[in-house]
Amino acid sequence: AYVAPNIKANTTIRQLKALHTVSGNITQVKTDVIIRGIVNADDKSGNQFKSIVIQDETGGILIRMEGNSLYTSYPIGQEVFIKCNGLYLGDYNKLIQLGGGADLTVTPANLLTIPSAIFNQIIVKGSAENVLVPKNVTINQLSTNMQDTLQNVLIRLSNYEFAAADTSKTYANATTNPPGTANFILKDCNSNSVTLRNSGYANFAGIGVPNGNGSIVSIYTVFGSTKQLTIRD
């Protein structure tokens, strides 16, 4: 039978992200901050790399972790508690991330992954197979503000489609060496647009993109002033 771990969050994801105020900087967490979240994206399909994404009621955050097949321990729906003391907050062109170290020899500073040797010391697993319902949002509810509460959260946008010229393409460039990412512009009937970015390493990279109009469920991310979507499968 499942026994809940003897740990409680004392900080929301939104409060943790609020500690990181300047894009390009690295901020070390120096107090006993514990966050709790449900994994909303893992690395199973290959569209995430060395990372998982978690969300709570207040927001979402990407966790940079050293290792592959993270989904075998931290699959979508897994509840996790993370002891953040000693970890580092950074951002990748305004998308806030939590990592295990900082490389200050480059500008902007590079956030490093959490070493696999300490996963079990700082990440405590709670309940499994939690069902996450995507938040139905409109494009105007999404901003590129670094503290946007919908960033790294599972969302659904409705009535979007690929450009007609793109419907003959695949989700990414699976056959190039190395495999290449692909960006698509999705539009709705009011000419609102959003970027869909897919990795060439995703197991769906070689699949043709769909025709027609419909809804898309994804993790909302940003790249600078660009609104981006990351699909999970």
Side-chain angles (χ1 to χ4, degrees), residues 157-187:
L157 286 169
S158 297
N159 302 312
Y160 275 76
E161 60 189 42
F162 286 84
D166 288 338
T167 53
S168 61
K169 298 176 182 175
T170 59
Y171 277 101
N173 305 313
T175 57
T176 56
N177 188 15
T181 52
N183 285 358
F184 291 97
I185 303 296
L186 304 182
K187 287 194 170 172

Side-chain angles (χ1 to χ4, degrees), residues 118-229:
I118 64 168
F119 285 177
N120 292 341
Q121 296 165 38
I122 62 167
I123 304 174
V124 178
K125 294 204 276 189
S127 59
E129 297 182 9
N130 293 279
V131 176
L132 283 169
V133 179
K135 292 189 179 193
N136 290 307
V137 299
T138 65
I139 191 74
N140 294 329
Q141 287 173 276
L142 304 174
S143 83
T144 56
N145 177 338
M146 197 163 68
Q147 300 293 342
D148 189 305
T149 56
L150 290 169
Q151 283 185 26
N152 276 319
V153 167
L154 187 67
I155 63 159
R156 178 189 282 112
L157 286 169
S158 297
N159 302 312
Y160 275 76
E161 60 189 42
F162 286 84
D166 288 338
T167 53
S168 61
K169 298 176 182 175
T170 59
Y171 277 101
N173 305 313
T175 57
T176 56
N177 188 15
T181 52
N183 285 358
F184 291 97
I185 303 296
L186 304 182
K187 287 194 170 172
D188 69 5
C189 300
N190 300 315
S191 294
N192 294 311
S193 65
V194 63
T195 298
L196 174 68
R197 184 171 173 82
N198 303 311
S199 168
Y201 292 96
N203 60 11
F204 54 82
I207 296 174
V209 304
N211 291 294
N213 189 289
S215 64
I216 179 166
V217 172
S218 63
I219 306 298
Y220 175 54
T221 64
V222 297
F223 186 74
S225 59
T226 302
K227 301 176 183 182
Q228 286 192 165
L229 306 178

Side-chain angles (χ1 to χ4, degrees), residues 80-127:
V80 292
F81 297 83
I82 302 180
K83 302 172 186 176
C84 300
N85 196 350
L87 298 182
Y88 293 79
L89 287 163
D91 66 276
Y92 186 67
N93 208 349
K94 289 196 175 172
L95 187 74
I96 296 182
Q97 308 180 342
L98 184 66
D103 176 6
L104 303 177
T105 65
V106 292
T107 305
N110 186 26
L111 184 70
L112 304 176
T113 52
I114 298 169
S116 56
I118 64 168
F119 285 177
N120 292 341
Q121 296 165 38
I122 62 167
I123 304 174
V124 178
K125 294 204 276 189
S127 59

Side-chain angles (χ1 to χ4, degrees), residues 6-22:
N6 184 23
I7 187 171
K8 288 222 167 20
N10 59 19
T11 306
T12 66
I13 290 175
R14 184 177 182 177
Q15 288 168 330
L16 174 68
K17 289 166 73 173
L19 301 175
H20 180 74
T21 55
V22 180

